[in-house]
Amino acid sequence: MTRQPDAPRHVVASGADAESVVRRLARDGWTVREGFALPDPAWDVTAARLILHGRVADRENLQLAVLAAARGAGIVAVCDADTPVGRALVDDLSRLGAVQLGPGGQPAPAEPGDTVAELVPEQRALLDRLAAGDTIAAAAAAEFLSLRTANRRIAEARALFGVRTTREAVLAYLRQRRTPS
């Protein structure tokens, strides 16, 4: 199975910034639609290479944007990342993968070369539990994840750390987590 690349997730401060990002993504072959409601009844819209864009000023639009991102659509959201709605948007989108802040595609706060910062919270929680001696099944149950999802998250973490085994991923995670930034 070939893994599809993650759909882009951008949070920008202005409509002009959003237009710049949307134009760039359209040139790269993405289909662009305004608003965050998905027209496709299929759950996974990753293959459609769809970018949804618009302003996120309230919880309703925030929920629509996050749901669309979870279903595989790319997101370009106009929102002040320093407001409560903006912080919630960045936090929720970060759980799905990398979020770019601003039109220049700057990643959400993370140190360069800091693999631990690239992990989604579910991966960190699983790796913490594995480091404490839990099995993947026990860690999955404790984090309210299916075993399949837990295995997928751990496999993604192994790929991020560039290691072959889960044990090596846990050790790399512990080493990088303890390294002062």
Side-chain angles (χ1 to χ4, degrees), residues 31-67:
T31 302
V32 178
R33 292 185 59 110
E34 189 167 351
F36 297 111
L38 283 170
D40 194 344
W43 175 259
D44 187 2
V45 295
T46 307
R49 291 184 51 88
L50 183 63
I51 296 291
L52 303 177
H53 68 97
R55 184 166 300 278
V56 176
D58 56 24
R59 294 278 178 191
E60 182 179 335
N61 280 334
L62 179 141
Q63 289 173 345
L64 285 173
V66 172
L67 177 61

Side-chain angles (χ1 to χ4, degrees), residues 8-23:
R9 295 173 203 88
H10 292 269
V11 177
V12 297
S14 71
D17 291 344
E19 190 61 34
S20 169
V21 172
V22 165
R23 276 196 313 270

Side-chain angles (χ1 to χ4, degrees), residues 1-176:
M1 178 174 118
T2 59
R3 183 185 156 135
Q4 294 285 340
D6 279 342
R9 295 173 203 88
H10 292 269
V11 177
V12 297
S14 71
D17 291 344
E19 190 61 34
S20 169
V21 172
V22 165
R23 276 196 313 270
R24 185 176 68 232
L25 292 170
R27 278 193 310 266
D28 291 341
W30 292 86
T31 302
V32 178
R33 292 185 59 110
E34 189 167 351
F36 297 111
L38 283 170
D40 194 344
W43 175 259
D44 187 2
V45 295
T46 307
R49 291 184 51 88
L50 183 63
I51 296 291
L52 303 177
H53 68 97
R55 184 166 300 278
V56 176
D58 56 24
R59 294 278 178 191
E60 182 179 335
N61 280 334
L62 179 141
Q63 289 173 345
L64 285 173
V66 172
L67 177 61
R71 289 178 58 186
I75 300 294
V76 178
V78 178
C79 185
D80 181 0
D82 293 327
T83 64
V85 170
R87 285 189 298 271
L89 176 66
V90 171
D91 183 48
D92 287 349
L93 289 177
S94 294
R95 293 177 195 274
L96 301 171
V99 176
Q100 308 298 317
L101 298 178
Q106 298 300 317
E111 295 297 316
D114 185 9
T115 306
V116 172
E118 294 179 37
L119 297 171
V120 296
E122 285 177 346
Q123 290 169 319
R124 288 187 197 134
L126 288 168
L127 288 168
D128 282 332
R129 290 187 181 279
L130 293 174
D134 285 357
T135 64
I136 292 178
E143 293 299 321
F144 303 101
L145 298 172
S146 71
L147 182 57
R148 180 179 181 197
T149 298
N151 279 318
R152 192 171 56 243
R153 295 287 187 250
I154 295 298
E156 291 165 354
R158 285 194 308 263
L160 275 174
F161 286 116
V163 298
R164 289 184 24 230
T165 67
T166 300
R167 182 175 186 270
E168 290 172 323
V170 171
L171 292 173
Y173 170 71
L174 290 173
R175 266 193 307 275
Q176 287 190 18

